Amino acid sequence: LYAIDYLSHEKNAATAVFIGDSTLVNNTLHYYAEKLVKDGITNISVVNEAIIANKVLSGGSGLIGNLYGDSLLSRFERDALNLSGVKYIFIKEGLNDIIHQYSKSMSPNTLKCSTDDIIAGYIQLINAAHERGIKVYFFTKSAWKGYERAFLGQTGDLVWSQEAQDKCDELDKWIKTNKLADGYIDVSP
């Protein structure tokens, strides 16, 4: 089963798509759906299109890279824009574009990119959505200081660094100050 879409006969029905990486593979969209229902809004479908380790600019790389899916730029039309009734897209992605460059197991095969490259990707996503009349909201990056990823039983594959954090902070600053997106959700500590 690749995808399920929906058909509604309600004229004002809409879809809200949450698309991103592993930091969105959690209960965020469930809380959003619960809040809608508690507020009496029952005509919005909430869809999860998050993929663990996904990136904005490049697809998965390395030993298990095929599990990380196509880049967000490559899958955005298929996984967000082409779903029925989409009016809102919430994007939480970009962290992996940065931190995978610092991972011992992924670094050799990972696209080396700057924050400007990622922002250029964000702008492409915004423009594609706005061309269809869809609103776009970004999440700031999840805190990751203290995070250490073990890979195949080896610790120290990815360890927090100030250099990577500075890049995340640059992206968050853009997310909070840009005038292109329709808004943002701040999840910084």
Side-chain angles (χ1 to χ4, degrees):
L1 181 64
Y2 172 71
I4 295 176
D5 208 341
Y6 80 99
L7 173 63
S8 175
H9 298 289
E10 283 189 55
K11 291 182 182 177
N12 62 349
T15 300
V17 178
F18 284 74
I19 193 163
D21 58 29
S22 62
T23 62
L24 198 55
V25 180
N26 55 36
N27 287 328
T28 301
L29 70 147
H30 301 291
Y31 296 139
Y32 178 72
E34 282 179 12
K35 180 164 178 30
L36 290 174
V37 171
K38 285 179 183 175
D39 290 345
I41 300 169
T42 58
N43 63 335
I44 296 180
S45 171
V46 180
V47 177
N48 184 359
E49 289 290 349
I51 299 176
I52 293 173
N54 200 233
K55 295 181 275 195
V56 175
L57 300 176
S58 63
S61 60
L63 184 62
I64 57 172
N66 62 326
L67 300 176
Y68 304 152
D70 296 330
S71 71
L72 182 56
L73 287 173
S74 297
R75 69 188 187 93
F76 194 61
E77 184 169 352
R78 177 191 72 212
D79 293 349
L81 299 177
N82 284 346
L83 298 181
S84 298
V86 176
K87 292 188 181 174
Y88 315 98
I89 298 175
F90 296 86
I91 299 172
K92 191 167 191 302
E93 191 148 337
L95 179 62
N96 291 326
D97 291 83
I98 294 170
I99 67 174
H100 285 185
Q101 296 177 71
Y102 296 89
S103 164
K104 292 175 187 172
S105 65
M106 296 179 174
S107 178
N109 302 312
T110 297
L111 173 70
K112 307 300 184 234
C113 61
S114 68
T115 54
D116 288 339
D117 296 329
I118 299 167
I119 290 167
Y122 286 166
I123 293 169
Q124 287 181 50
L125 299 171
I126 293 166
N127 289 340
H130 284 175
E131 285 175 10
R132 297 185 186 205
I134 299 168
K135 292 186 176 190
V136 179
Y137 304 89
F138 284 90
F139 284 87
T140 58
K141 306 296 157 279
S142 296
W144 67 288
K145 187 171 186 176
Y147 171 79
E148 182 177 320
R149 186 180 87 150
F151 181 69
L152 298 177
Q154 298 177 3
T155 60
D157 181 58
L158 174 64
V159 180
W160 181 91
S161 73
Q162 188 62 55
E163 181 180 4
Q165 185 63 53
D166 289 345
K167 291 179 180 181
C168 291
D169 293 345
E170 284 180 48
L171 285 182
D172 283 351
K173 182 179 178 184
W174 184 86
I175 286 170
K176 292 177 178 182
T177 61
N178 83 86
K179 302 296 182 209
L180 302 173
D182 297 288
Y184 70 92
I185 298 161
D186 190 358
V187 295
S188 58

